[in-house]
Amino acid sequence: MVNNTVSYTKVIGGWVYNMDGIAAYAGSNVSHCFIWANDDAIKVYRDSITWSDIVVWSLNNGGTIQMSWGGANGGVTANNVTISRVDVLRAEWDAPRFSTGLLNCIGNHYDSAGWSHSLSNWLIQDLVTENPVPQVFNITPDDFSHVHIDGLYMKNWNVKMTMGTSFTNQIKGEDPNHYLSGFTFDNVKFNNTVLSNINFITSGEMETGGWVAAPKTTDQVVSFVSGQGTGGTTALRSVVTNMNGSTDYAIKANDLFHLDHGQQITISFWAKATAAGKRLVSWIQENDATTWMNVGDVNLTTNYQFYTATTNVTSNTSSNYQVKFRGYATAWIYLDKVQIGPPDWRTIMLPDTQYLNTPTFLPNTPPARMGIVTAVEEEVPVNTVYPNPVNDILYFKDGDAGYKIYGVHGDQHNFGYGSQVNVSHLAPGLYIIVVGKERIKFVKQ
């Protein structure tokens, strides 16, 4: 069955634990529906499905928009999908699970033999949350079989998330040889802040490793301990032996990041100690000049508490900063889920399984710092390339240059070097050409 229409439908799926919302066959149109579901609400597993004007109330199981659940034997695709005007009233997930999240991709979680799924050319636009939800992104396909995502365009989102919980936003792939690519964030507001190439959502899970001690005493060690994190997960444990203000500390080794003088910085984390009242300081240090500044100073309890501190960088602009923690009294100190921001923090907290290639942000907040991010500027002179609109040959005003052409969903169509490019093969529509350091929108007629 294909090309169905579902409209003006109310789905009450909260009576049993795994009651879903709506799924549709290829080519179908789903519109003007209300979904109250205790499992996946909007299930998108086939090609050329259009969803519009959907109101969702998610209960405590399943994702609001479910991108993939394994696929099918021999492979299945969900290409050319459009989801517009989704209003999420509530999401009541009570614990972080593989199936939760406003946007969720599970993959072949139950290891069904021969299953795979490929998703491309998605547009999800005009999505809002009426109230903060526990989790926005949970794109974590299982590594048993391949789930490929290429071209996910998120436009005009206004989503809110309750921070400082055990829920974590994640966008990661299962295979370093097959990137999740072509992710575009176009006017995506997260907790009232527009995401850009220098403030995108990140999370530093302590269990990703790389933390070491820099002791002056012989018994200062750093280790990862199972069952001691928030929610019983793995935590970083560091012994502190009456430092009396010395320079003993735990450090994320070999990871340097960029900070500008005057820039605002935030460090947040969960922490506890084996005795109440033990002091813990979070701080940053410039690796070359050894200048440093405290970012937070707290007295710990014996139970996990969430701590956050924000300050402005008073030291010099540099790309050689490190983040460190220092304790001051005899105790075991436990750290979990360190989050640092806003800019460039993916590079110091990069999980081993994070295979996300070149996300693109519109509008861009200059300057772009890291080469792994492809930033797209909003406004440039329209005569940098001409004619615009164009039928066949697009010329560069300033002569020879390197160029790349992208669709609005972030998919790359062409690249090369020269003073012109033939675009006659492109379908009519809006495109973005990157010429040198400029990004220009043009229309192919």
Side-chain angles (χ1 to χ4, degrees), residues 288-299:
D288 292 332
T290 68
T291 56
W292 59 275
M293 59 177 294
N294 289 347
V295 179
D297 191 333
V298 298
N299 292 316

Side-chain angles (χ1 to χ4, degrees), residues 31-109:
S31 67
H32 299 90
C33 294
F34 173 77
I35 301 173
W36 188 64
N38 208 25
D39 208 336
D40 303 321
I42 299 173
K43 299 160 67 76
V44 191
Y45 303 154
R46 297 294 185 270
D47 291 343
S48 303
I49 303 177
T50 299
W51 304 75
S52 61
D53 302 292
I54 310 293
V55 177
V56 179
W57 187 317
S58 291
L59 297 175
N60 74 341
N61 184 41
T64 302
I65 298 175
Q66 180 55 257
M67 300 178 68
S68 170
W69 190 297
N73 191 11
V76 69
T77 62
N79 301 326
N80 304 315
V81 171
T82 300
I83 303 173
S84 303
R85 297 181 298 281
V86 177
D87 190 347
V88 180
L89 300 181
R90 290 178 62 86
E92 300 180 4
W93 307 304
D94 53 3
R97 293 180 288 271
F98 66 92
S99 60
T100 57
L102 191 64
L103 187 60
N104 183 268
C105 179
I106 291 173
N108 196 356
H109 182 76

Side-chain angles (χ1 to χ4, degrees), residues 5 19-20 48 93 99 101 108 155 250 258 341 378-379 397 417:
T5 298
M19 186 67 75
D20 289 313
S48 303
W93 307 304
S99 60
N108 196 356
K155 181 177 182 179
H258 184 97
E378 280 244 316
E379 299 295 337
K397 173 187 175 184
Y417 185 87

Side-chain angles (χ1 to χ4, degrees), residues 211 248-250 267 269 280-283 324-327 335 338:
W211 290 84
D248 298 29
Y249 51 80
I267 296 181
F269 56 91
L280 180 68
V281 173
S282 56
W283 53 301
K324 304 178 180 182
F325 288 89
R326 178 193 295 141
L335 289 168
V338 174

Side-chain angles (χ1 to χ4, degrees), residues 6 15 32 79 149 185 215 235 261 267 269 288 297-298 329-330 337 348 352 362 390 441 444:
V6 180
W15 302 115
H32 299 90
N79 301 326
I149 303 176
F185 297 81
H261 175 76
I267 296 181
F269 56 91
D288 292 332
D297 191 333
V298 298
T330 304
K337 300 187 184 304
I348 73 163
D352 293 339
L362 296 167
V390 59
K441 299 175 184 177
K444 168 60 171 63

Side-chain angles (χ1 to χ4, degrees), residues 2 19 106 116 187 204 209 216 240 247 263 291 303 316 342 358 367 389 433 443:
V2 295
M19 186 67 75
I106 291 173
S116 65
N187 192 36
K216 284 187 175 180
V240 181
T247 57
Q263 174 183 313
T291 56
N303 296 314
N316 293 334
T358 60
I433 184 169
V443 175

